Amino acid sequence: MRPLRLEVEGFTSFRDKVVVDFDGLDLFAITGPTGAGKSSLLDAMVLALYGQVPRVAKEYKQLISHGAERMSVRLDFRIGEADYRIARTVRTSGQPQFRLERIENGLAVGLADRASEVAAEVERLLGLDYDAFVRSVVLPQGQFDAFLKGKPEERRKILVALLNLDVYRRMLELANAKAAGARRQAEFLGRELETTLAGAGAEAVAARRQELREAEARREESERAVGALTAARKVAQRVRDARRDLERLDREAEAEEARRRGLESALAAAGERARTLAAEAGRAARALAAVADDPGRHLALTEARPRIEQLVAAAARADALARDVEANATACAGAEAASATAAAEVASAETSEAQAVNALAEAEAARDEAQRRHAAHALRRQLRKDEPCPVCEQVVKRLPKGSAPALDGAEAAVSKARAAGAAARRALDQARVAAERAAAEARQVGGEAVRLRRESVAARTAVEALRKPLAALFEAARLDAPDTLLRDVADALRALEAARADRERLERDLRRIEKEAAGHESERARAEGGAKDAAARLAAIGRSRTEAERELREALEAFGEPEAMVAELDTRLTAAQKTAQEAAARAARLRAEAERLAQDAARADELRGRKGALDREAGLLGALASHLKADQFLAWVQEEALGVLAEDATRHLMALSRGRYSLLWKDQDFVVEDHWNAGGRRSVKTLSGGETFLASLSLALGLAERVAALASEGRAGEALESLFLDEGFGSLDADALDQVIDALDELHGGQRMVGVVTHLQALAERLPARVEVRRGDSGSRIAVA
């Protein structure tokens, strides 16, 4: 598994979205101050893939940034030649969301979107479960030495995943399944040999073929008997057929004679009917000539009738409009008089309103003069108890007493003048409204008068236009009474249509008579032809009868009287044919049985060979399953793998420890051999913190290098295309740090990604690339250098 791009938002110190593009990063450091979020980048990758984080397991909601409502991580990664994308979104409340996709030609194709499906698919793709991943690919803080110092069963579980040792269990299951299948097939073939193919053999085939030869001989003998009987029957059949032909020809001659007589009777009846139809046609033609039908006048009146109907309507409209014009003239005079009266009332109201305005002005002037003379009384009216005085601003405790009759009279005069002015204005407004309404009504009546006069002229013009085309057919006096003219035209049209109906009826009768006459002529012609054909057929039947009599004489002269033998020959022939059919059927059945026995014998030989091969295969697979079932085999494979890993780790550890330590696998555990102390061996748990880091790093490097070769199959090699280390470098001196950097550089070799989480600036600067995590006021940021 090789990361391509990591996107994080709302996760620990990364409140805002940050993106890490791993393109071009092979050996690099993830650096930054303590607490900036360096380890959180590795946690984000693990969370994206497995839905849990080493330091908090599945309680990852507590990693949502402070004050944020959700966090999201998205990881693009490559396995082999295929690219994938996995995204997880977690909210403070509600269910998390997951999605795993495969990237094909730049497009995302969904693989899974439920927790269980995503987890199963990730383990299938990487070939590692969560525990194996955090002990071999991403080595987090606090768990760096888990593989080195872990319990034996934990190491075995990781090895099973990394080296795909589970394949041996599947091999055992497959061997058992195949062995059982081979035994079932062998048993099935044995039962078939004992039952279906029990009688299959060369002796049975030979016996059946002998029976077939005997049946073929009986079939040939029966077929010869059928041939002889068939020839004899043909002779007898010839005589019987000749006599039957004579009888048939006699019957045909009688029938044809009766048909000829019938045709001659039909011919006579057809002639009589033709004469009757000719007389009916003459009568219909004379009646047709007497019909008084005038198509031209009918057409002219038909075309004139709609125009007369239009003239009736137009004349009625013109008369109605003339009456409306007269009534409108009276209405116009009344409306104009009412408008003039309303205008006079407006002028009178305007005069009254002006007088009221003048009277109000005089009353207000008198009031103002009274207020000047009686200012103290006017001020007294504005005072309110317990409120400030408008002059001295002192609170009024007691209202002064006193009255000013002149001031009161002036105020009353102003109020009366205002009321009179308001009444005058209302009267003026009402007069103006009435005047405007009267003027509008006069205008409306005047406009209606113009419209009515215009429509009256147009109606008269339309009447004259309709009279012009009718003047050629009717007199002016008749056009002056269009209603009467319309009734006369309707009566004339009904008479003409009745005459036309009589003509059409007589014409139909004449056509029917002519058609019937033609049909009877055809019938007469057919009868005449049929009579001739009947005569010809009678002559032909006579000739055929003469030939049949000659055939009968010749047959009797040649064969005597064999007709009585036909029934006996038929009985014997039927029996012979049945015998021949039975012989042929038996021969066919024996032939098929002989062929089937030959096939069964061949199949039995084949099945015996296949059964022997299946018995041998079942035995071999059973032996393989027995060997695989032994626990020592898997344990031996694990022991060998751990020994090889210890040897590879020793190469790195000798360099990192300056030749002091070797790593050995002994008695289900890792031990170190101290070459500075006479090769003494002791548990790895006795190493110091820095030494433990070097030993764990050596084992991790050896595992990354060797796992692809040790794995029986699967994708562990692809899974370890990346290695991320997250602790321990601070415990190394400068020389050991140099050795570590050289080992990491040798490990990645341009083919594997190696990332180192460190806060040591000196280490970060010595690696080819750096992912710098920087703290900010609103959260951490990422920069690649």
Side-chain angles (χ1 to χ4, degrees), residues 467-771:
R467 287 170 62 98
K468 285 181 181 179
L470 296 172
L473 293 174
F474 307 104
E475 297 175 356
R478 298 189 69 186
L479 293 176
D480 291 339
D483 292 338
T484 303
L485 177 61
L486 183 60
R487 287 193 297 272
D488 294 344
V489 168
D491 293 341
L493 282 174
R494 281 193 293 273
L496 288 171
E497 287 172 356
R500 184 173 66 177
D502 290 342
R503 170 176 288 278
E504 290 175 351
R505 177 179 56 78
L506 291 170
E507 287 177 346
R508 286 196 301 271
D509 290 345
L510 186 57
R511 287 194 296 272
R512 177 184 57 77
I513 293 170
E514 291 174 349
K515 182 178 180 181
E516 188 175 354
H520 279 285
E521 179 60 26
S522 299
E523 184 179 348
R524 189 196 64 77
R526 285 196 300 274
E528 185 177 0
K532 293 180 179 179
D533 291 342
R537 281 185 56 78
L538 282 171
I541 290 171
R543 291 191 296 272
S544 298
R545 193 177 189 287
T546 300
E547 180 64 24
E549 289 175 346
R550 183 189 61 78
E551 178 69 20
L552 178 58
R553 286 194 303 271
E554 292 178 354
L556 290 173
E557 291 173 358
F559 305 106
E561 188 65 32
E563 185 178 6
M565 297 177 59
V566 171
E568 181 183 353
L569 289 173
D570 284 341
T571 302
R572 293 173 60 188
L573 179 59
T574 300
Q577 289 173 340
K578 182 179 180 181
T579 302
Q581 290 172 354
E582 291 174 350
R586 175 174 171 76
R589 178 175 57 78
L590 291 172
R591 186 181 300 107
E593 289 180 0
E595 292 175 357
R596 180 181 57 77
L597 283 173
Q599 294 172 356
D600 288 349
R603 177 168 174 74
D605 292 339
E606 177 190 358
L607 293 185
R608 280 188 285 271
R610 287 175 57 190
K611 183 178 182 302
L614 288 170
D615 289 336
R616 291 189 295 275
E617 181 180 357
L620 179 62
L621 290 170
L624 175 61
S626 177
H627 290 304
L628 290 173
K629 188 175 181 181
D631 296 336
Q632 292 82 358
F633 178 75
L634 184 58
W636 176 82
V637 173
Q638 292 174 335
E639 288 292 313
E640 288 296 308
L642 288 168
V644 172
L645 290 176
E647 292 176 4
D648 286 347
T650 294
R651 179 169 54 85
H652 294 291
L653 184 58
M654 286 290 288
L656 294 176
S657 64
R658 302 183 186 88
R660 180 174 180 178
Y661 292 118
S662 297
L663 192 63
L664 303 175
W665 175 251
K666 194 73 173 177
D667 298 330
Q668 302 293 311
D669 205 352
F670 286 110
V671 298
V672 291
E673 185 175 3
D674 191 347
H675 298 289
W676 290 4
N677 289 309
R681 297 179 179 181
R682 51 194 172 92
S683 171
V684 293
K685 298 177 182 178
T686 63
L687 296 174
S688 65
E691 292 170 340
T692 297
F693 173 76
L694 293 178
S696 299
L697 177 61
S698 300
L699 189 58
L701 295 176
L703 190 63
E705 291 174 337
R706 180 65 67 167
V707 68
L710 290 175
S712 59
E713 61 176 17
R715 316 199 67 162
E718 295 176 346
L720 294 185
E721 287 182 342
S722 303
L723 179 64
F724 294 92
L725 310 175
D726 188 14
E727 70 171 23
F729 296 98
S731 62
L732 303 179
D733 57 26
D735 291 339
L737 196 59
D738 288 338
Q739 295 293 330
V740 168
I741 293 173
D742 291 341
L744 294 176
D745 188 46
E746 179 183 353
L747 173 65
H748 90 87
Q751 301 297 323
R752 181 178 286 106
M753 177 183 291
V754 178
V756 175
V757 177
T758 181
H759 65 278
L760 299 177
Q761 191 65 25
L763 173 60
E765 291 177 350
R766 296 178 64 179
L767 297 181
R770 295 182 300 280
V771 176

Side-chain angles (χ1 to χ4, degrees), residues 190-259:
R191 287 193 298 272
E192 188 172 0
L193 288 169
E194 294 172 357
T195 56
T196 307
L197 302 178
E203 298 82 0
V205 173
R208 197 55 50 87
R209 286 176 177 170
Q210 177 60 34
E211 292 179 8
L212 175 60
R213 286 191 290 272
E214 295 173 355
E216 288 286 356
R218 286 194 295 273
R219 179 186 61 79
E220 293 174 357
E221 180 181 356
S222 299
E223 289 177 351
R224 287 193 295 270
V226 169
L229 290 170
T230 300
R233 188 185 182 286
K234 287 181 179 179
V235 174
Q237 185 67 36
R238 181 181 173 188
V239 174
R240 188 170 66 177
D241 290 345
R243 287 180 173 168
R244 288 178 178 176
D245 286 343
L246 285 173
E247 294 173 356
R248 176 180 55 80
L249 290 172
D250 288 341
R251 289 193 301 272
E252 289 180 359
E254 292 176 1
E256 200 64 35
E257 178 62 26
R259 179 171 175 271

Side-chain angles (χ1 to χ4, degrees), residues 305-455:
R305 181 161 61 179
R307 292 194 180 95
I308 297 172
E309 291 172 347
Q310 294 174 2
L311 179 61
V312 170
R317 175 171 171 74
D319 293 342
L321 286 171
R323 291 191 296 273
D324 291 344
V325 168
E326 292 177 1
N328 179 261
T330 303
C332 282
E336 289 174 356
S339 179
T341 301
E345 291 177 355
V346 168
S348 175
E350 288 176 345
T351 301
S352 299
E353 195 268 344
Q355 293 173 352
V357 170
N358 292 334
L360 176 60
E362 293 173 357
E364 289 177 342
R367 182 201 60 190
D368 293 342
E369 179 62 25
Q371 286 179 344
R372 283 192 297 273
R373 290 197 305 268
H374 304 283
H377 289 289
L379 177 61
R380 185 183 299 145
R381 291 179 175 181
Q382 299 179 17
L383 295 179
R384 299 291 183 270
K385 187 177 180 180
D386 295 328
E387 291 185 3
C389 173
V391 177
C392 65
E393 297 183 354
Q394 296 296 320
V395 176
V396 177
K397 299 298 184 180
R398 184 175 57 85
L399 294 175
K401 297 181 180 179
S403 62
L407 185 59
D408 294 339
E411 287 289 350
V414 168
S415 298
K416 182 178 181 182
R418 283 190 180 132
R425 282 192 297 275
R426 285 195 299 274
L428 177 59
D429 291 341
Q430 292 172 356
R432 285 173 175 168
V433 170
E436 182 61 31
R437 186 182 297 112
E441 186 174 352
R443 288 193 298 273
Q444 181 179 0
V445 174
E448 183 70 12
V450 172
R451 182 186 65 79
L452 288 172
R453 286 194 295 272
R454 184 168 58 249
E455 290 184 0

